[in-house]
Every structure is written in structure tokens, then in C-alpha cells.
Amino acid sequence: MKKVLKSGSLMLGLTLVIAGLSACGSADKAGEAGTGKNASEVKKDGFPIVDKPVTMTLMAPDVGVQDWNKMQVMQEMEKLTGIKMQYQNAPIDSFESKKNLVFASDSLPDVFFGADIKPAEQVTYGSQGVLLPLENLIDNYAPNLKKILDEHPEIRKNMTTPSGHIYALRTIDLSAVWYRSPMWYNGKFLKALGITKLPETTEELYAYLKRVQSEDPNGNGKKDEIPLTSVKLDDLRMFFLGFWGIYDEVIYADKAGKVHYTPQEEGYKGYLTFLNRLWKDNLLDHETFSQTDEQKKAKGKNNRVALFNDYYPYFTMGTEPDDSNPMMKPLKSEVPDSPVYGKHPGISSNGTFAITKSNPNPEAAMRWVDYMYGYEGGTLFAQGPEDVLWKYTDKEKHVKEWKPVPGGGDREEYRGTLTPNYGILVPGAASSELSKGLKTDFDKWLDKENEEKLTPIAKIPFPSVFLTEEEQAEVTRLKSDLDTYVKQMEAKFVTGQEPLANWDAYAGQLKKMGSDKIVGIYQAAYDRWNEGSGKK
């Protein structure tokens, strides 16, 4: 359940804390509202949205906590808007396959919701007229979202394909910091070893991990401590690469606007070299490439792990939320201007809401989803209806407090019975206003850790650019083999199966496989993006 919880509370939790030819007819589709089934006049403001009830089909992934027909949030939305949604859900683990089948069969829902619509899907199905262009609907029927896009034009640009159309909305959180979850220290180990100042360089970290290995900080008289653990390096890679001046695992732009392909950078070699050193000295868990996340967590709960990655430290430690397990401070390496931190772009990479050509009333659908981009709708979807899990202490100033969980139990799990904003990313905008009065001491401590350790060195690795259909096809073709090769070689370099003396041969093979072509494609896309913002 914790895996679901981590992503499910993203909009609220983060606050507590990437086109082609346009179809000739697709731009006209949105003007066909009010014809066919369920025709109804749409108000530009006020509620209900329509003059007579409208029914639409909505396709979304389901985390299996609650029947969407019984979710109080969705019931409230129907009462408020006059729009009844008929749900076409598929289990979250099989949703991607179901979505692909729906697109291929052309048996479309009226709207996709929380559907993780990838940039390539937006370009492909938008240019084919399957997904409707949304920009005119936004400007005329979405005052909350339009306000955000007018105030933050880079967000509108991030949602707009090269053809000039927006085919899917995104989840927005301008206060978000984490691009990937951070690394955490076991506070009990720090205390046992008398550590009052966290490591600031890779050499200081190495020295600390050696002490963990030899000084029995868990006090059980056994050498069973694991200085650093991971699951296939997927959990620590992003954070550690920042120690060598790299902002992302694959593609990033430096401060001068030059695009880089991470696996062929000298900083990536530094990252591999350091991890290989830790592996050889038994400081990096030798089960890293075979264990599951659950097995990693079991080691944490048994107080064996010194340094680990998780969304929150208590997920691994099995303790209560508190300030005893500090966030890792990114480390300086031999690379100048390190460390750096790849910051969350403030907008989801994939689309969370789209309107299809089957929709009888696109205007109504846009007004329906726009509610989630305002304070009232954001609160409803993030926290559930008023007076269930929360109540106002000062409604005018938007200050709330939590109420006891009905029947007791876990607050997050109960929230998952109320709202679809649990386990999936849903459309909407998070803001500090949503959580006034609701932040716990742990939440405030996280904000402080972010502000002191990450924000000063943070930069968005790469804007959410779109590729043309031809570019996307080329990148997809090239990355299919490159991703596999890079992953295999990473493990070989770290474990010593491949000596780092063979780095030049490895980097040469990447270029033969098309890594420089990928850089060129993303550089062109990045330059287009900059031109769209008026930058020179």
C-alpha cells in the first residue's frame, strides 16, 4: 500500500513538500459541441455547468481502493456540475495496455482522466483528430487554468505541441521540489557514531560508510550493517549523478543551454567510478541488482541500513514520521560546480486529462476539469469533501485542520476511498493554499530540509518539450537499444565485470548506436522551446 500512497498523495504531498502535424479537421472538432447526444447549453461561469444534465464516459486507471461511483468527491462533482460520469476503469497495472487497445480500436471514452498520456501519444492522436485541441476551450471555458497559464507562460508552452495545439492537460505544482525521491540517513547510526555534521563531499561520505561497516552502529555485535543499499540503482541514480554535475539520468541542458546525453558524459564516468569503489569495498549492498523494494525495506526495518532512498524515510525505517532521519545533503565531487540537483519541473511530464472526438460537449468537459485548477476544486480532490477528514478554522483565509479519521485507521487510506487523487496523478493545480493549517511538524521539517539542502542548487533538467512525429520515431528507435545497453553496462561497470579502463570503448559504442543523434534531436527541440519563449 505504501507504493500506492507515495504517488497517490503527490499533489498534496508535494505541497507539504515532455508533436507534429495538426489534422486538418481536428481544430474544428471542439466547435461541434452542443450537437448529438446529450446536447446542452454550457455556462461560462457558475454552477451547474449545463442547463440540463449531461452524461459522459470517463476512462481512468483504478488503484482498487474504492468503486468510483461511490467516491464522495465524484458524487459531489456530479451534484455541482450537472455532469454524470460513466466510469470505464481498468486496474492500474494493466491500464496502459487497455488505453492502447482503446486508441487502436477507436472505441473512445469522452474523456481520459489520470491516464498518463505521453507526449508521443498526444502528438499522434492529436494530429489524427482523436484527441481534440484544447487551447480555445481553455481560453473560453477554463478561467482557473487560463489564469495559471497567463501568469506562467512557460507552462502553456510546455503543454503546446509544435503544431500550436494543446491536446492534454497536466498536473501542475509550482512548489514541487523533488524530481525523484531523495536519499536519507539512518539517524540511529549517525547518533551511535557521534556524527553531528553530515558528509559534504564524496570522500567524506566514503569515510562515513567505512565507519558504518566497521563500528557496529546498530549495536548488535554483528557485522550486519549495510552502508548503502539500492534497488538496481534506479532509486539512487538521479540523486547521485548530481554529485558530478549532472541534472538527469538521460537528457539535460546545462546552464548555457547545451544539451547532454548523460550516459556518455565524463560526470557519468565519475559516478560509475565512485559506485565501483563502494562495491569493491562492500559498502554498496551486493544484493542491489537482485533485491526488490520490499526486501530493501525489510533491511531498513531491521536497522541494518545506513543510507537509502525512499519517498519518506519512515517508509524504509518502519518508524513514525519525525525528524530523526535527515535528508542527504548532495555532495561535492572532483567535478567543478558540483553538486547540482535536478528539480521537479512543476508540471507532470505526461497528460492527465484529454477530450476525445467522441465527446458530445467539449465545453462542458473543459469547465468540469477546470474546477480542479482552482482552490475549491483543488481542495475537494486533494482532501475530500469538507467536514469528512478536515474542517475550516478560518474559511475566509483558507485555514483548515484535520478531523479524526471516521472509524479510525490510516488517514491516507481513508482519503483513497473519497477521491481518485490517490495512487494516480490527476489533473489540477497544487498550491500552498490547499494545505494551510494541515501541515504536520514532519511536513514543516521536510520543507526546511528541501530549502536548506536542495533548493539552492536546484535546476529543472530539461523543459517538457515535444518532439515532432519524425523526431519521436527516431528517438524511440535509437533509445530502444541504447537504454538496454546503458543499463547492462552500468551494472557491469559498478560490479567490476567491465573495467572502467574500457570507458572509451563504451562511449564510442554509444555514439555508434546513435547517442549523438539523440543529443541533436533534443537540442533542436530545446532551441524551438527557447524561441517560443522569446529567449535568444
Side-chain angles (χ1 to χ4, degrees):
M1 183 56 70
K2 284 178 179 175
K3 182 178 180 182
V4 171
L5 187 155
K6 286 194 292 184
S7 57
S9 58
L10 186 60
M11 282 186 64
L12 178 60
L14 284 174
T15 306
L16 300 178
V17 216
I18 282 178
L21 301 174
S22 61
C24 297
S26 65
D28 298 327
K29 242 346 178 172
E32 296 177 3
T35 64
K37 62 177 182 178
N38 298 322
S40 180
E41 184 178 344
V42 181
K43 302 176 185 177
K44 288 198 172 184
D45 53 46
F47 294 97
I49 289 172
V50 288
D51 62 347
K52 60 181 180 180
V54 168
T55 298
M56 296 183 188
T57 54
L58 178 152
M59 183 176 180
D62 180 27
V63 300
V65 173
Q66 177 66 284
D67 180 344
W68 285 42
N69 289 291
K70 297 179 181 178
M71 288 182 179
Q72 291 186 37
V73 165
M74 304 311 280
Q75 293 171 349
E76 289 291 322
M77 283 294 286
E78 182 177 345
K79 292 175 187 175
L80 178 70
T81 66
I83 298 174
K84 177 177 177 58
M85 292 296 183
Q86 294 179 339
Y87 304 110
Q88 299 176 354
N89 296 116
I92 190 168
D93 291 341
S94 60
F95 181 79
E96 192 69 20
S97 297
K98 178 68 173 179
K99 180 180 66 173
N100 291 338
L101 287 173
V102 166
F103 275 131
S105 68
D106 207 34
S107 177
L108 299 165
D110 295 324
V111 299
F112 285 102
F113 183 92
D116 196 39
I117 304 173
K118 297 169 179 57
E121 293 172 332
Q122 295 173 43
V123 171
T124 297
Y125 297 114
S127 65
Q128 293 175 1
V130 174
L131 300 179
L132 299 189
L134 306 179
E135 60 276 3
N136 291 333
L137 292 170
I138 293 170
D139 289 344
N140 290 287
Y141 291 92
N144 293 315
L145 178 55
K146 184 178 187 302
K147 182 176 186 295
I148 295 171
L149 301 186
D150 288 348
E151 293 175 351
H152 302 277
E154 75 280 3
I155 295 181
R156 181 185 287 266
K157 191 168 54 165
N158 285 344
M159 295 195 299
T160 303
T161 66
S163 64
H165 293 305
I166 297 172
Y167 292 112
L169 305 185
R170 311 280 189 89
T171 305
I172 299 170
D173 185 352
L174 297 174
S175 66
V177 177
W178 299 352
Y179 196 74
R180 299 285 190 275
S181 50
M183 304 293 297
W184 309 94
Y185 288 103
N186 181 336
K188 294 178 182 177
F189 283 19
L190 295 173
K191 185 175 181 179
L193 297 175
I195 303 295
T196 57
K197 182 173 177 288
L198 296 179
E200 295 189 354
T201 69
T202 53
E203 286 303 314
E204 290 178 2
L205 176 64
Y206 178 85
Y208 170 67
L209 298 179
K210 287 291 287 185
R211 289 191 62 190
V212 169
Q213 183 184 58
S214 62
E215 298 183 25
D216 191 28
N218 66 9
N220 66 359
K222 304 175 183 178
K223 287 195 172 184
D224 62 346
E225 289 85 358
I226 302 170
L228 171 64
T229 193
S230 175
V231 179
K232 299 176 178 60
L233 303 180
D234 293 335
D235 48 357
L236 66 74
R237 186 183 301 111
M238 179 79 173
F239 203 84
F240 268 51
L241 283 169
F243 308 167
W244 284 270
I246 293 175
Y247 290 98
D248 188 75
E249 302 172 52
V250 183
I251 290 289
Y252 68 98
D254 61 24
K255 293 179 180 178
K258 181 181 177 181
V259 173
H260 300 264
Y261 177 66
T262 294
Q264 68 186 22
E265 293 295 312
E266 281 296 314
Y268 184 76
K269 180 183 179 183
Y271 152 82
L272 294 176
T273 301
F274 185 70
L275 288 184
N276 172 250
R277 180 185 180 192
L278 299 183
W279 181 274
K280 288 190 299 186
D281 291 349
N282 291 311
L283 301 178
L284 173 59
D285 192 345
H286 277 208
E287 294 182 349
T288 284
F289 296 100
S290 60
Q291 71 180 344
T292 64
D293 186 63
E294 289 73 21
Q295 291 169 325
K296 179 195 77 172
K297 283 179 166 61
K299 295 173 181 178
K301 290 178 174 62
N302 288 327
N303 197 32
R304 296 179 57 203
V305 179
L307 181 62
F308 57 91
N309 173 283
D310 211 327
Y311 197 77
Y312 296 134
Y314 65 90
F315 286 177
T316 289
M317 297 299 293
T319 57
E320 293 300 315
D322 58 31
D323 62 358
S324 64
N325 302 294
M327 181 188 294
M328 184 184 201
K329 183 177 181 179
L331 307 173
K332 182 172 180 57
S333 70
E334 70 278 8
V335 173
D337 299 323
S338 65
V340 299
Y341 176 73
K343 182 183 182 295
H344 193 285
I347 182 174
S348 61
S349 297
N350 298 335
T352 53
F353 183 85
I355 302 174
T356 78
K357 65 181 182 180
S358 298
N359 195 296
N361 204 322
E363 291 90 346
M366 181 56 69
R367 274 222 58 206
W368 182 87
V369 74
D370 182 61
Y371 187 61
M372 303 174 205
Y373 289 89
Y375 170 77
E376 291 83 4
T379 292
L380 178 63
F381 275 79
Q383 296 147 13
E386 182 178 357
D387 287 327
V388 179
L389 284 177
W390 62 275
K391 66 180 181 180
Y392 280 111
T393 58
D394 189 333
K395 190 167 186 176
E396 184 178 347
K397 295 182 178 179
H398 296 163
V399 181
K400 315 180 185 89
E401 69 177 10
W402 292 118
K403 295 182 63 176
V405 179
D410 182 83
R411 184 179 303 278
E412 272 299 297
E413 292 185 9
Y414 191 89
R415 192 177 71 87
T417 69
L418 302 175
T419 175
N421 184 15
Y422 179 88
I424 63 173
L425 274 180
V426 302
S431 74
S432 59
E433 286 293 298
L434 301 185
S435 57
K436 276 187 176 181
L438 299 179
K439 288 192 176 184
T440 65
D441 289 342
F442 176 72
D443 300 323
K444 294 172 184 177
W445 172 75
L446 282 180
D447 288 344
K448 187 171 182 291
E449 291 284 276
N450 286 332
E451 190 63 29
E452 293 179 353
K453 297 176 179 178
L454 302 183
T455 303
I457 57 170
K459 176 185 179 296
I460 295 172
F462 203 72
S464 183
V465 303
F466 281 89
L467 304 180
T468 66
E469 288 186 278
E470 294 79 7
E471 289 172 336
Q472 185 65 62
E474 180 74 348
V475 165
T476 300
R477 181 183 68 82
L478 293 172
K479 286 182 85 275
S480 177
D481 290 336
L482 274 167
D483 288 352
T484 300
Y485 179 67
V486 167
K487 188 83 169 179
Q488 292 173 345
M489 293 302 293
E490 179 186 48
K492 289 181 178 181
F493 280 132
V494 169
T495 62
Q497 296 180 51
E498 186 80 17
L500 281 154
N502 292 345
W503 168 263
D504 289 345
Y506 157 79
Q509 181 64 25
L510 291 179
K511 294 179 187 295
K512 288 179 184 178
M513 296 174 71
S515 59
D516 283 348
K517 291 181 182 178
I518 290 178
V519 171
I521 289 170
Y522 277 103
Q523 185 72 65
Y526 184 74
D527 293 343
R528 287 197 303 264
W529 187 89
N530 275 332
E531 289 167 3
S533 66
K535 294 181 181 179
K536 303 296 182 183

